Amino acid sequence: MESPEACSSGEASPASPPPLAAAAAERPSEAAALRALVDRVRAGEVDAAREVRRLTRASARHRRKLAAAVDPLVAMLRSPAPEAGEAALLALLNLAVRDERNKTKIVDAGALEPLLGYLQSSDPNLQEYATAALVTLSASSTTKPIISASGVIPLLVEVLKEGNHQGKNDAVMALYNLSTITDNLQAILSVQPIPPLIKLLKGSKKSSKTADKCCALLESLLAFNQCPLALTSEEGGVLAIVEVLEEGSLQGREHAVGALLTMCESDRSKYRDLILNEGAIPGLLELTVHGTPKSRMKAHVLLDLLRDSPYSRPKLQADTLENIVTNIASQIDGEDRGGKAKKMLAEMVKVSMEQSLRHLQRRASFA
């Protein structure tokens, strides 16, 4: 090593590179560093898997450059060491986010078998992370049929029933993704998802993504004969959907009115009064003015179904809700729809106090 005196002499060795060049020569290229990181994952290093997770958390570029880590990470999923499996699972989750090629690569590498094992884990964190991974993987049209055929649906419904809070939210998201394949709807119904779906919906903020997906899934399931009966058997089930109709996001309200419409169309005589008694009219009226194009159309159709009763009505209601609903379909169209809707809402509140009071009492009982 050179002495301090030699360094201060101002004379440089002919073989010494300039300081910046020396620094660049000592610093490995990013590509070499990422290759070395993948090699460490292949060697089973848990810290390397954690580093992959860190690098891919918010970087699409690193997700692409670290795609080679998928196979060794899937192999690590099968490790008997819980910390290794968790690190691999979280790294794979980040690699899959917004990267269709990585999603396909993860499924093709055989990740589904260990993921299904984690869904049944007694460790709630591992179960939650596996459910989150399946939400991401099932969003791909390429991987969705493969995931559907893996036997995952009963396990996701079990997480919906017994998982922790985040696990339940992710389970309904994954089930919704899989429900877009029509053949999966019967498989979902066969494992009795309605009670846990309604329980989750009742406990969720009505404008949340969870509420959106619950109502979207219910809208699809209600097309099957056994589903409306299962829904109405759940205390507060229809009311929970009506609350989304009133308080949900635009998308959630669209699915909520679709769910109620599907139910009413399946057996109008059986479900018409039930929907009316849960106070759906104000939300439907508002949707005809402020909803999405689809929800406006569905609200019109449902209001038309609700307006006429095949049964005689109590005299108390003869000049109130029945007549208001009877005229909705014809009056709500045309000019000044907003003004007409507001006028009808004010009239309904004024003349149907008895029904409003009953509705409020029912809500209080479920609060």
Side-chain angles (χ1 to χ4, degrees):
M1 184 175 180
E2 287 184 304
S3 66
E5 290 79 12
C7 288
S8 62
S9 66
E11 295 179 7
S13 168
S16 300
L20 287 176
E26 292 169 1
R27 185 172 61 247
S29 69
E30 181 188 48
L34 295 179
R35 284 195 298 270
L37 179 59
V38 173
D39 287 341
R40 289 172 55 206
V41 176
R42 285 196 184 98
E45 289 188 30
V46 175
D47 285 343
R50 290 174 179 148
E51 180 66 5
V52 172
R53 177 197 179 195
R54 185 187 70 79
L55 290 172
T56 55
R57 181 178 287 119
S59 171
R61 183 171 62 87
H62 278 123
R63 289 180 201 125
R64 282 281 82 237
K65 290 182 176 293
L66 285 167
V70 166
D71 285 303
L73 284 168
V74 170
M76 194 182 289
L77 280 179
R78 296 183 171 88
S79 170
E83 66 274 12
E86 179 177 323
L89 182 50
L90 292 170
L92 287 166
L93 175 57
N94 283 358
L95 280 164
V97 172
R98 299 188 184 93
D99 192 307
E100 292 302 303
R101 281 185 287 178
N102 279 351
K103 287 184 175 88
T104 301
K105 190 175 179 67
I106 290 166
V107 171
D108 288 347
L112 290 181
E113 182 184 351
L115 283 177
L116 267 57
Y118 285 128
L119 282 183
Q120 302 170 77
S121 173
S122 58
D123 183 330
N125 290 328
L126 288 176
Q127 187 183 76
E128 175 190 324
Y129 302 150
T131 309
L134 285 162
V135 172
T136 301
L137 294 173
S138 63
S140 167
S141 58
T142 303
T143 60
K144 194 178 301 185
I146 303 169
I147 295 170
S148 300
S150 70
V152 71
I153 286 174
L155 299 178
L156 286 171
V157 172
E158 192 60 30
V159 175
L160 185 62
K161 292 176 182 176
E162 305 294 342
N164 63 21
H165 178 70
Q166 188 58 50
K168 290 178 179 179
N169 290 343
D170 287 337
V172 79
M173 301 284 184
L175 286 167
Y176 168 74
N177 287 346
L178 297 176
S179 74
T180 60
I181 297 178
T182 305
D183 289 347
N184 287 336
L185 290 171
Q186 191 65 63
I188 294 171
L189 260 182
S190 70
V191 283
Q192 301 180 342
I194 301 303
L197 264 179
I198 293 301
K199 185 176 181 180
L200 181 62
L201 181 58
K202 287 165 68 174
S204 299
K205 185 177 180 181
K206 299 305 180 284
S207 58
S208 66
K209 287 185 178 180
T210 297
D212 290 355
K213 298 308 181 188
C214 282
C215 286
L217 190 52
L218 285 167
E219 182 180 10
S220 296
L221 294 173
L222 281 163
F224 294 83
N225 291 336
Q226 65 267 44
C227 190
L229 182 59
L231 172 63
T232 55
S233 298
E234 291 300 309
E235 192 172 27
V238 175
L239 178 59
I241 298 175
V242 170
E243 288 175 340
V244 176
L245 185 72
E246 296 174 343
E247 305 164 20
S249 68
L250 283 174
Q251 200 64 42
R253 298 176 78 189
E254 182 178 306
H255 291 304
V257 68
L260 294 172
L261 175 59
T262 301
M263 185 169 69
C264 194
E265 286 178 327
S266 73
D267 193 332
R268 180 172 174 271
S269 63
K270 183 182 291 185
Y271 300 118
R272 174 187 179 276
D273 284 354
L274 178 58
I275 294 170
L276 285 173
N277 288 338
E278 294 296 7
I281 298 299
L284 289 172
L285 285 171
E286 187 178 352
L287 272 188
T288 62
V289 180
H290 299 300
T292 66
K294 283 185 178 180
S295 61
R296 288 200 299 269
M297 178 187 70
K298 292 175 182 178
H300 276 296
V301 175
L302 181 54
L303 286 165
D304 195 49
L305 285 173
L306 296 176
R307 66 176 181 165
D308 296 317
S309 174
Y311 308 110
S312 59
R313 305 290 292 171
K315 186 175 180 180
L316 176 66
Q317 296 187 10
D319 296 317
T320 58
L321 182 62
E322 190 69 45
N323 286 341
I324 294 168
V325 176
T326 299
N327 294 319
I328 284 170
S330 59
Q331 291 188 27
I332 201 67
D333 291 322
E335 297 180 1
D336 192 23
R337 291 190 305 168
K340 289 180 180 179
K342 289 178 182 178
K343 184 178 179 181
M344 284 190 286
L345 281 169
E347 183 182 358
M348 182 177 62
V349 170
K350 178 180 178 181
V351 300
S352 58
M353 290 300 293
E354 179 178 303
Q355 181 174 2
S356 297
L357 179 60
R358 184 169 64 250
H359 179 49
L360 290 173
Q361 289 171 335
R362 288 175 63 82
R363 283 184 178 233
S365 69
F366 294 120

